[in-house]
Amino acid sequence: MNRVESELPFTRLRIKRRVKARSRSSHAQSMHRLRWKENMWGYLFLFPSILIFGIFQFYPMLESVYLSLHMTSPTGKIVEFVGLSNFKELFAGDGFVESLKGTGLFTLYTVPAVVVMALLLAALTNRNTRGMKLLQLIFSMPVALSVGTSSVMWGMLFHPTTGMFNYFLSLLSIDPVMWLTDPKWALLSISVMTIWMNSGFAYIVLLSGMKGIPADLYECAKLDGAGSFTRFFRITLPLLSPTVFFVGIISIIGAFQSFGQIHILTKGGPMQSTDVMVYSIYQEAFTNFRFGTGSAQALVLFAIILVLTLLQFRLLERKVHYQ
């Protein structure tokens, strides 16, 4: 009996350990089932968005890859498999290189100007003084207008005889400028219109970022004797750098994808001075009915945008100060 009684505590300890092990395993199983159910519910709610993306994004991209490897008829039917011949033809021609140069110049004209102008306007109107709400509404107004409406408005301003720009030049005794028909001025004119059109979105984003900066930092800087420029360059810009970085990436992608204003105002002319890559893709596919080379050009544009975005994340994100 003494031996049995001495083994009872060890037996009870073993039973307790087994019970704890079983409870842990059952708890782990229940947690696994709960996570599985949550994941299934999450995928169920995401399914409509995934379906829409699949139909309107992923499928067209895969179709473009397929078409870029084939020669097509004017109706879009596959004629024969040509492999990488469409890409070779694309890089061998001068039209693609010229459209790439035009896109680069267009991006260089518009993106820095949009970011700088929106940043200055946001800094000037980030106050609670009287009349600032009206100025904020005016500066953000371009985001409410479509590309077609903006293009028609600026087309009237650029008109060589009845446009406001040449009217102001005539008041200064300056000869009228053919804004949209002169190869020297066409791309610059489209760029000015695009800067105004994209400034609304950039202004709203940057102003929202400035609103999120704590006011205590500015008050402490004022007590230390910091002026307006010092506060802007030492407080506003560092804390706003993630927002500026985001606006820069979005602006570059938007510049490479610009089409509407060029199609409405210049149609790639004069003398192909405004023939950017997206408009070149449109002409190749829907004017010349060469869907194979048009798809190849679209894939090259996608690769260029992807590389530029990755380079920006690689090189410029180091200078971004996250809170």
Side-chain angles (χ1 to χ4, degrees):
M1 292 294 294
N2 293 333
R3 185 177 179 181
V4 174
E5 291 177 356
S6 61
E7 291 180 352
L8 282 176
F10 296 101
T11 304
R12 293 173 182 174
L13 182 60
R14 292 173 182 172
I15 294 173
K16 289 181 179 179
R17 288 178 179 176
R18 291 177 182 175
V19 171
K20 289 182 180 180
R22 290 177 181 176
S23 62
R24 289 176 183 175
S25 62
S26 61
H27 179 70
Q29 291 177 359
S30 61
M31 289 298 297
H32 178 72
R33 292 174 183 174
L34 181 61
R35 291 174 183 174
W36 184 82
K37 290 181 179 179
E38 290 179 351
N39 292 334
M40 290 302 297
W41 278 108
Y43 288 127
L44 181 62
F45 285 117
L46 287 174
F47 178 75
S49 299
I50 296 174
L51 181 62
I52 292 174
F53 270 99
I55 295 174
F56 295 101
Q57 294 289 337
F58 303 137
Y59 172 73
M61 185 174 180
L62 295 176
E63 185 70 17
S64 297
V65 174
Y66 179 73
L67 289 175
S68 66
L69 301 176
H70 294 79
M71 182 181 294
T72 60
S73 64
T75 58
K77 294 182 178 181
I78 302 298
V79 177
E80 62 176 327
F81 176 80
V82 294
L84 299 178
S85 298
N86 289 328
F87 293 93
K88 294 178 181 179
E89 181 182 352
L90 188 65
F91 288 105
D94 296 332
F96 175 75
V97 177
E98 292 299 324
S99 66
L100 184 59
K101 290 180 180 179
T103 306
L105 286 175
F106 180 75
T107 304
L108 187 62
Y109 290 158
T110 58
V111 174
V114 167
V115 175
V116 172
M117 186 176 72
L119 186 62
L120 292 178
L121 293 177
L124 292 174
T125 56
N126 186 25
R127 302 175 184 177
N128 294 324
T129 56
R130 188 176 181 180
M132 285 299 160
K133 296 295 183 182
L134 178 60
L135 291 178
Q136 292 173 4
L137 176 63
I138 293 173
F139 292 148
S140 59
M141 188 67 70
V143 77
L145 300 177
S146 65
V147 178
T149 303
S150 301
S151 300
V152 172
M153 291 171 51
W154 281 82
M156 297 172 64
L157 295 175
F158 284 133
H159 196 275
T161 56
T162 61
M164 292 296 296
F165 292 149
N166 282 338
Y167 171 74
F168 290 132
L169 291 179
S170 65
L171 296 179
L172 300 174
S173 300
I174 299 176
D175 295 334
V177 177
M178 302 295 104
W179 301 102
L180 300 176
T181 57
D182 190 347
K184 297 180 180 179
W185 290 98
L187 184 62
L188 184 61
S189 302
I190 296 293
S191 300
V192 171
M193 180 257 175
T194 304
I195 291 169
W196 174 85
M197 186 176 64
N198 295 340
S199 62
F201 171 77
Y203 170 78
I204 292 174
V205 175
L206 292 174
L207 182 63
S208 301
M210 289 184 182
K211 294 290 185 183
I213 299 176
D216 299 339
L217 298 176
Y218 294 107
E219 294 178 359
C220 294
K222 286 182 180 179
L223 293 177
D224 292 337
S228 300
F229 288 97
T230 304
R231 295 196 300 269
F232 179 77
F233 287 102
R234 295 297 181 89
I235 298 176
T236 304
L237 274 184
L239 295 180
L240 199 64
S241 57
T243 310
V244 176
F245 180 66
F246 167 77
V247 171
I249 291 178
I250 295 299
S251 299
I252 290 177
I253 294 174
F256 271 84
Q257 294 178 341
S258 296
F259 170 78
Q261 63 269 40
I262 295 172
H263 180 62
I264 294 174
L265 294 177
T266 62
K267 298 187 182 302
M271 298 176 61
Q272 296 183 340
S273 58
T274 59
D275 189 15
V276 295
M277 291 190 66
V278 174
Y279 193 78
S280 179
I281 295 171
Y282 167 78
Q283 286 184 317
E284 190 72 13
F286 300 104
T287 302
N288 301 329
F289 298 104
R290 301 181 62 187
F291 298 101
T293 53
S295 299
Q297 196 168 349
L299 292 177
V300 172
L301 176 61
F302 169 75
I304 292 174
I305 294 176
L306 178 62
V307 170
L308 287 177
T309 304
L310 293 177
L311 285 177
Q312 289 180 89
F313 274 97
R314 180 83 179 200
L315 300 177
L316 299 180
E317 194 178 16
R318 301 174 182 176
K319 300 181 181 180
V320 176
H321 302 277
Y322 295 100
Q323 295 183 7

